[in-house]
Amino acid sequence: LTKTRLRLYLCMPLLPHNIPHISSGQGNEPGDDLTITYKELLHQVCKFANVLKSQGVKKGDRVSIYMPMVIELVVAMLACARIGAVHSIVFAGYSAESLCERILDSQCTLLITADGFYRGDKLINLKLIADDALQKSLCCSVFCLSSGFHILCFHQVPWNPEVDVCWHTLMDGASEDCEPEWCESEDPLFILYTSGSTGKPKGVMHTVSGYMLYTALTFKLVFDYQPGDVYWCTADIGWITGHSYITYGPLANGATCVLFEGLPTYPDVSRMWEIVDKYHVTKFYTAPTAIRLLMKYGTEPVHKYKRDSLKVLGTVGEPINPEAWQWYYNVVGDKRCPVVDTFWQTETGGHVLTPLPAATPMKPGSATFPFFGVIPAILNESGEELEGPSEGYLVFKQPWPGMMRTVYGNHDRFETTYFKKFPGFYVTGDGCRRDKDGYYWITGRIDDMLNVSGHLLSTAEVESALVEHEAVAEAAVVGRPHPVKGESLYCFVTLNDGVSYNKALEAQLKQQVREKIGAIATPDYIQNAPGLPKTRSGKIMRRVLRKIASNERDLGDISTLADSSVVEQLFENRCCAAV
Ligand code: AMP
């Protein structure tokens, strides 16, 4: 393909008319929902594409989007794509500072936002945060969506007529016809900043053809998408999973999807299963952290709902510990549904290691094998390729269509980050083990690897052993410098509701890890952690935990931290004794 017309993606009225819904939008409140057809979506997208043009947005311009999980977010991103503008979506949980940083880095001229929304019972005043970000960056105009189904109406938000323009006012007068802009296959489609758990966020750039082809194909095969399926991915569109597997992949297949604005625990911990039954969801995609969160409440909230429509269960975001995998498979899927553990990254655009449902024999906790066209390898520290069962750096030997093309504005950083350590390979930054059957097991980020007395240990492995104990809901393990062993193991554990921490439990946990992995992995310290420092996307910030373990108060950049009070509490209760 040398040229792709974005119309390819948006011309949904050409699809058979018996595919009625693009999406059932399920709001934060159970009674708040809507459906939209592909034809209606096309009209909305064309109208908004015309609005963008009227605001002076042209092909190649960057547009920042800071919105909740509403249909208008999908409309905004597709309208950008339709006119060849490059969207840069910033997750609506990010602070003004993070938003400003991303606006400046992407040099965008327009920001699309909403007045506000409820996440669970918490009101998020998005427009106020956007205003603050704008003050900090002083370079864009704010384009505000003030929509009827949010609690805050347009009049209640502070308004600056010199800068702000109203979505509804402009949409009312816009035409439903907008010819798509022709694009080269390698023209940029979007920029998405990576989670930024380390250093300055990187603007990962994806291009039109390869990305769309790859997300469309992986969606179809990995979820075995068939006409009649109802697909639901619980991710937020602010992350890559939402880009690839809520918007581009499913819509390019004409899939019927559920778009969910709320939380898995609001108004109660059955919410996910209530939605599965309400829409007869067949293919369901979520993250291990959500599974572990719900596991804490036992099986009763799951069993309240039938879930008999489910056919395939997907997981993404971090290694899934076997205990969570089993719960997902046995309790959620009633042992009927294959689990697809999909390993991929913002950078890879789509799945790179994954089972194909019902075709690949599963092993709980393994992302199994590469997707078609992906050639993984495992390297040792010296960059030598390891054969057979082995453990080391996960790299890829040849590009695939959905791979990122550059770090926006900093191609050197792209080359240095991904290709310098092992020339000729794309370095994922993840550790990986290959077993005797050729299955790949992600062992966690290489920067989370520990070297204890000359033995390489994966933090994910120790965490999994801890989480297998019935008292433990979540665990995070980091290294603490040790004068003899190099590093010692410092473990933070969050206990299940109603369990209290004591010395007997601590001894049991140490014994559990000894038994699961070996004496070398015996935790040196275990700290009771009622909360763990997480990014807003729910990833544990081990960098911060390492500082707590070593009692270093200089935490570096913690702008992505969701709740900073957790850190203070952990510092207060840290384990002080020398090993
Ligand atoms: P992000 O780019 O923020 O989506 O994060 C990508 C990282 O998440 C990968 O490098 C892995 O460390 C982790 N990850 C994503 N999916 C999986 C998975 N299925 N198994 C293990 N780790 C995963």
Side-chain angles (χ1 to χ4, degrees):
L1 284 177
T2 53
K3 279 196 168 180
T4 282
R5 207 178 182 197
L6 290 172
R7 189 176 186 109
L8 258 185
Y9 166 64
L10 291 168
C11 64
M12 294 310 176
L14 295 182
L15 285 167
H17 290 297
N18 61 0
I19 301 180
H21 298 149
I22 164 191
S23 173
S24 298
Q26 176 60 59
N28 183 54
E29 298 299 327
D32 175 9
D33 54 33
L34 62 86
T35 59
I36 179 170
T37 65
Y38 272 90
K39 189 173 179 184
E40 287 161 353
L41 179 68
L42 176 68
H43 288 160
Q44 293 291 314
V45 168
C46 286
K47 277 170 87 112
F48 195 62
N50 286 325
V51 168
L52 288 175
K53 284 195 205 170
S54 76
Q55 296 300 304
V57 178
K58 301 179 303 298
K59 181 177 174 182
D61 288 351
R62 274 83 50 217
V63 174
S64 281
I65 302 179
Y66 185 60
M67 283 168 75
M69 284 284 287
V70 291
I71 295 286
E72 286 80 354
L73 168 55
V74 179
V75 169
M77 66 200 290
L78 296 185
C80 288
R82 193 162 185 87
I83 62 168
V86 180
H87 59 72
S88 166
I89 300 181
V90 180
F91 173 58
Y94 270 123
S95 64
E97 201 130 319
S98 307
L99 175 60
C100 169
E101 190 178 13
R102 285 156 178 78
I103 288 172
L104 291 177
D105 190 78
S106 61
Q107 301 158 306
C108 74
T109 51
L110 190 80
L111 169 66
I112 307 170
T113 189
D115 42 10
F117 68 105
Y118 277 89
R119 178 168 284 145
D121 50 15
K122 191 172 164 204
L123 174 64
I124 317 284
N125 280 305
L126 222 46
K127 173 70 164 49
L128 296 184
I129 306 170
D131 284 346
D132 194 7
L134 190 67
Q135 277 298 316
K136 291 179 163 59
S137 67
L138 286 178
C139 72
C140 328
S141 52
V142 172
F143 194 82
C144 187
L145 155 72
S146 171
S147 85
F149 47 84
H150 296 306
I151 306 296
L152 274 188
C153 83
F154 141 64
H155 297 289
Q156 288 172 296
V157 294
W159 202 254
N160 175 358
E162 295 197 355
V163 177
D164 302 340
V165 269
C166 175
W167 172 292
H168 295 306
T169 311
L170 294 179
M171 282 290 266
D172 278 352
S175 153
E176 281 183 0
D177 294 314
C178 176
E179 269 301 300
E181 187 75 35
W182 281 85
C183 291
E184 293 293 333
S185 59
E186 287 297 299
D187 279 345
L189 177 63
F190 67 82
I191 300 167
L192 181 59
Y193 287 85
T194 42
S195 63
S197 332
T198 51
K200 188 178 177 298
K202 293 177 291 238
V204 169
M205 204 185 83
H206 284 285
T207 54
V208 172
S209 255
Y211 174 83
M212 292 227 222
L213 168 73
Y214 199 68
T215 53
L217 185 68
T218 46
F219 172 77
K220 185 171 164 52
L221 299 185
V222 172
F223 296 106
D224 183 30
Y225 174 73
Q226 304 286 343
D229 272 334
V230 178
Y231 166 81
W232 178 25
C233 168
T234 67
D236 192 291
I237 291 178
W239 309 117
I240 191 67
T241 303
H243 281 60
S244 301
Y245 298 110
I246 292 180
T247 304
Y248 290 106
L251 299 197
N253 280 278
T256 301
C257 317
V258 178
L259 180 75
F260 178 47
E261 186 187 17
L263 291 176
T265 49
Y266 180 83
D268 60 50
V269 296
S270 290
R271 187 72 193 277
M272 302 262 233
W273 324 123
E274 182 251 326
I275 294 174
V276 165
D277 279 7
K278 176 172 175 180
Y279 295 106
H280 307 289
V281 172
T282 56
K283 310 287 162 78
F284 178 69
Y285 197 23
T286 195
T289 185
I291 298 166
R292 287 197 299 267
L293 173 73
L294 296 177
M295 271 169 75
K296 273 183 25 173
Y297 299 95
T299 55
E300 194 260 320
V302 188
H303 288 153
K304 260 171 75 181
Y305 292 92
K306 295 208 300 265
R307 293 158 287 105
D308 54 354
S309 54
L310 288 172
K311 289 183 182 160
V312 174
L313 302 174
T315 157
V316 60
E318 55 183 309
I320 181 165
N321 48 300
E323 202 204 8
W325 192 103
Q326 293 288 2
W327 195 83
Y328 200 24
Y329 179 75
N330 293 326
V331 179
V332 176
D334 285 326
K335 304 185 187 186
R336 285 183 299 105
C337 309
V339 174
V340 285
D341 178 355
T342 60
F343 167 83
W344 60 294
Q345 308 174 300
T346 306
E347 295 88 337
T348 68
H351 307 141
V352 280
L353 298 180
T354 178
L356 296 179
T360 311
M362 300 178 291
K363 291 195 186 188
S366 168
T368 72
F369 301 113
F371 189 73
F372 304 113
V374 174
I375 306 184
I378 297 182
L379 307 184
N380 65 15
E381 188 59 48
S382 331
E384 290 153 354
E385 190 173 342
L386 305 174
E387 301 295 335
S390 45
E391 182 162 346
Y393 291 87
L394 176 68
V395 298
F396 293 111
K397 289 169 88 166
Q398 70 175 28
W400 57 95
M403 187 178 196
M404 74 183 283
R405 299 300 197 265
T406 190
V407 170
Y408 181 75
N410 195 345
H411 197 70
D412 280 355
R413 190 170 177 201
F414 174 59
E415 291 184 354
T416 311
T417 310
Y418 303 102
F419 301 100
K420 197 168 171 203
K421 188 172 173 69
F422 300 122
F425 298 97
Y426 165 82
V427 179
T428 59
D430 282 288
C432 185
R433 180 166 67 81
R434 189 171 44 219
D435 70 14
K436 63 178 176 27
D437 302 318
Y439 280 67
Y440 290 86
W441 301 74
I442 304 297
T443 53
R445 299 293 299 185
I446 289 291
D447 38 20
D448 297 330
M449 290 289 257
L450 301 178
N451 194 321
V452 180
S453 306
H455 297 274
L456 216 52
L457 280 179
S458 143
T459 52
E461 215 176 350
V462 181
E463 286 161 11
S464 178
L466 288 166
V467 173
E468 279 180 42
H469 192 285
E470 60 190 12
V472 178
E474 193 155 33
V477 176
V478 294
R480 175 172 152 166
H482 186 278
V484 179
K485 300 199 279 184
E487 283 183 295
S488 54
L489 281 168
Y490 195 112
C491 310
F492 296 86
V493 291
T494 306
L495 302 182
N496 279 317
D497 272 0
V499 182
S500 56
Y501 193 82
N502 54 44
K503 284 284 162 201
L505 175 61
E506 190 175 301
Q508 275 179 29
L509 294 177
K510 288 188 176 180
Q511 187 56 26
Q512 166 116 348
V513 180
R514 271 179 90 95
E515 276 172 16
K516 295 278 171 199
I517 304 172
I520 182 66
T522 309
D524 298 288
Y525 304 94
I526 299 186
Q527 179 172 346
N528 180 21
L532 289 167
K534 291 187 178 173
T535 61
R536 293 183 175 84
S537 62
K539 283 198 199 317
I540 297 170
M541 292 181 79
R542 291 191 173 69
R543 185 169 59 81
V544 171
L545 289 176
R546 273 194 287 275
K547 299 269 184 175
I548 295 167
S550 327
N551 203 18
E552 284 172 38
R553 291 274 168 170
D554 177 14
L555 297 179
D557 175 14
I558 50 165
S559 60
T560 55
L561 184 62
D563 176 6
S564 54
S565 65
V566 164
V567 173
E568 216 24 66
Q569 205 182 16
L570 290 177
F571 265 116
E572 264 168 39
N573 300 321
R574 55 183 292 281
C575 314
C576 301
V579 186

